[in-house]
Amino acid sequence: MKIAVLGAGAWGTAFGQVLADAGNDVTMWAIEPEIVEGIRDRHHNAVRLPSVDRLPDNMTATGDRAEAVAGAKIVVVAIAAQFARVALAEFKGLIPDDAVVVSLMKGIERTTGKRMDEAVREALDLPADRFAAVSGPNLSKEIADRQPAATVVACADLDNARMVAAACTTDYFKAFVTTDVIGLEMCGSLKNVVALAVGMARGAGYGENTAAMIETRGLAELTALGEAAGADPKTFRGLAGVGDLIATCGSPLSRNYTFGANLGRGMSVEEATAASNGVAEGVPTTDAVVALGRELGVATPLASAMSRVLSDGISCQEMLALLFDGDVTEE
Ligand SMILES: NC(=O)C1=CN([C@@H]2O[C@H](COP(=O)(O)OP(=O)(O)OC[C@H]3O[C@@H](n4cnc5c(N)ncnc54)[C@H](OP(=O)(O)O)[C@@H]3O)[C@@H](O)[C@H]2O)C=CC1
Ligand SMILES: O=C(CO)COP(=O)(O)O
């Protein structure tokens, strides 16, 4: 099967390798000529995934949008969430009418408060049954090293979810399916905010109890928000929910965790941004989560505290103190 991957970042490239390992012909699309030439001519992405010496032979790249998606049965989108809508507008009318569009992105659009399923479908005028989201504990470098991992594919049409899952199944990567697109989107986006906070606590020198408190209260917050948005609570207990939370909040391979850790060590937001190796989606998503909570009538103490960190520069101690504010409540 021919599959196009739009965006040759760390995860786009690693997932492209998974698809190629599963036997598909993969064409990456990237803006930067250096990345296109590297993947096409040397099977190497020195900019975004230097840890892989040689990408598979059935993986190529182009900077030409029409060429990238021509004949594709699956079009994967792996562009930084805040730029996805604008980037995808250029693909409208080029993507084959029978292709399923798969988002790997984990973020909420800051300007509209919309999830990626909404932004992608609006940008491409795509019906629900042709949109799928992939999310789970999937740190790109580990998967690029072909370490065993699993993920979840969500699509309103379960047959299309199964088709996408089969296309990315290898002897080291397994995909489960669900129809809970909203749940998957909410899990992937909101856990990044939690990872920022856990990273910050770790960077400031706090230990296991503090990390466990933030992760558990963060999971409660993202579950409440997800349920209010229409998600199935079961999704939050699975790979895309608690699974991704464990991976992202426990690894320096996570850009969100690392961004938070740098804040906890005393860097400013500007310094942590400059030090970041790739997009930390939790940063623009934090305010969108606070706004979504307000809209849905759900309290978002952790996201609100992290918003104060990002906009007012409060310290880790002050951020954590905000979580202790208020009355005695049931857990
Ligand atoms: N890395 C990971 O472990 C995982 C990441 N994800 C999610 O996948 C998404 C992509 O992540 P990842 O690949 O790691 O991120 P990177 O930061 O490595 O790459 C971001 C990608 O977005 C592209 N991009 C940014 N701005 C634009 C634009 N205006 N137009 C077109 N393309 C643009 C970049 O292109 P360019 O290189 O040309 O700048 C690059 O391909 C994110 O939402 C992330 O949360 C999900 C699971 C795992
Ligand atoms: O989503 C991820 C792992 O599942 C990757 O997290 P980061 O975007 O923080 O690197």
Side-chain angles (χ1 to χ4, degrees):
M1 179 157 46
K2 178 177 172 191
I3 301 183
V5 180
L6 314 183
W11 184 218
T13 308
F15 193 74
Q17 178 172 264
V18 172
L19 294 164
D21 285 347
N24 302 289
D25 290 324
V26 177
T27 303
M28 309 289 306
W29 171 83
I31 293 181
E32 288 168 39
E34 184 191 349
I35 293 180
V36 171
E37 284 159 21
I39 297 174
R40 187 191 58 206
D41 302 337
R42 292 182 297 284
H43 292 277
H44 186 62
N45 184 345
V47 181
R48 301 280 179 197
L49 197 63
S51 66
V52 175
D53 284 342
R54 187 173 169 84
L55 294 163
D57 288 342
N58 51 341
M59 197 170 163
T60 187
T62 178
D64 184 302
R65 292 178 178 83
E67 185 189 331
V69 298
K73 293 284 177 230
I74 295 176
V75 176
V76 177
V77 188
I79 291 164
Q82 305 304 321
F83 302 101
R85 186 186 291 270
V86 169
L88 285 175
E90 308 271 349
F91 285 90
K92 199 173 171 189
L94 298 178
I95 294 177
D97 287 342
D98 60 347
V100 174
V101 176
V102 178
S103 167
L104 303 185
M105 301 172 289
K106 295 178 176 174
I108 293 179
E109 211 174 35
R110 193 177 189 145
T111 49
T112 63
K114 296 201 172 172
R115 302 179 306 266
M116 286 300 104
D117 59 313
E118 299 173 295
V120 170
R121 287 186 50 206
E122 283 175 14
L124 296 174
D125 205 5
L126 196 72
D129 64 324
R130 285 181 51 216
F131 173 86
V134 171
S135 194
N138 297 154
L139 294 158
S140 54
K141 179 169 182 309
E142 293 182 5
I143 291 171
D145 289 346
R146 299 188 171 94
Q147 293 183 28
T151 201
V152 185
V153 179
C155 181
D157 181 327
L158 207 54
D159 286 340
N160 278 343
R162 286 200 182 96
M163 190 267 290
V164 173
C168 64
T169 297
T170 69
D171 58 358
Y172 63 89
F173 197 74
K174 177 175 172 62
F176 293 82
V177 293
T178 177
T179 54
D180 186 18
V181 174
I182 297 178
L184 211 75
E185 292 280 350
M186 294 298 277
C187 284
S189 310
L190 273 58
K191 63 86 193 174
N192 284 335
V193 179
V194 184
L196 284 175
V198 174
M200 191 175 189
R202 293 293 197 182
Y206 296 114
E208 304 304 323
N209 294 336
T210 311
M213 171 185 72
I214 299 170
E215 286 166 30
T216 313
R217 294 311 304 154
L219 181 63
E221 188 168 315
L222 70 86
T223 304
L225 205 55
E227 278 190 72
D232 178 351
K234 188 155 68 77
T235 305
F236 295 88
R237 299 194 291 270
L239 281 165
V242 71
D244 201 3
L245 202 69
I246 292 169
T248 312
C249 294
S251 175
L253 289 177
S254 156
R255 284 84 49 99
N256 287 286
Y257 175 97
T258 302
F259 193 105
N262 283 336
L263 293 178
R265 287 183 200 110
M267 281 191 194
S268 66
V269 172
E270 292 70 29
E271 287 165 339
T273 304
S276 188
N277 175 26
V279 63
E281 296 281 22
V283 175
T285 290
T286 296
D287 278 350
V289 172
V290 175
L292 209 57
R294 238 181 255 127
E295 189 188 315
L296 296 170
V298 176
T300 56
L302 185 61
S304 300
M306 279 313 297
S307 171
R308 293 282 315 281
V309 169
L310 297 170
S311 53
D312 303 337
I314 66 170
S315 69
C316 185
Q317 203 175 2
E318 289 168 317
M319 183 273 286
L320 291 170
L322 288 174
L323 300 183
F324 289 112
D325 231 17
D327 301 330
V328 174
T329 55
E330 287 185 33
E331 190 188 7

